[in-house]
Amino acid sequence: MSDSMPGPGPEPVEPDPVEQAAAEEQAETYDPAGPAPLGVERAQTGDARVDGLLERLGDADHLATDGHIEVYEDVHRGLRDALTALDAHPGPPVPSPMRAPAVPSPHPTPYNRS
């Protein structure tokens, strides 16, 4: 025989009616297959073109997953173009290097008597 006696179990806890209503409402409105914003914060870069492309990423928040690729490819293409444009230096063309002046030969030119 055991020395311990079964005692009263923990008392049942009544759920908070406000919390229960909120949980039920969230369960009714949550659609796991539907689009949901990721809530990723996008900081401004100071470059209007890049900032516009980063804002375009927000379009993916309202699309189903299979629609994200189009947005990502569009933003990637735009960012690649922006980076390529940084390599193209606007303004006058850079002058070509000048030819080095002819260096006199250390050997004297022989006198030609012809």
Side-chain angles (χ1 to χ4, degrees):
M1 195 162 165
S2 170
D3 289 335
S4 64
M5 263 176 117
E11 292 185 27
V13 178
E14 293 292 322
D16 181 20
V18 173
E19 288 179 16
Q20 186 175 7
E24 288 173 3
E25 182 180 330
Q26 183 179 9
E28 290 173 7
T29 60
Y30 177 69
D31 180 8
L38 294 175
V40 176
E41 200 171 311
R42 291 175 289 276
Q44 297 292 312
T45 65
D47 183 305
R49 184 175 181 184
V50 172
D51 291 341
L53 290 165
L54 292 178
E55 285 303 313
R56 170 92 167 95
L57 286 174
D59 293 348
D61 288 346
H62 309 291
L63 299 172
T65 306
D66 60 351
H68 290 189
I69 190 82
E70 182 181 338
V71 173
Y72 296 154
E73 285 178 346
D74 182 44
V75 171
H76 180 257
R77 187 179 319 106
L79 290 173
R80 189 177 55 234
D81 292 347
L83 286 172
T84 301
L86 292 175
D87 289 336
H89 301 288
V94 177
S96 60
M98 295 179 55
R99 297 177 85 179
V103 177
S105 172
H107 305 288
T109 306
Y111 179 73
N112 189 356
R113 291 194 218 184
S114 28

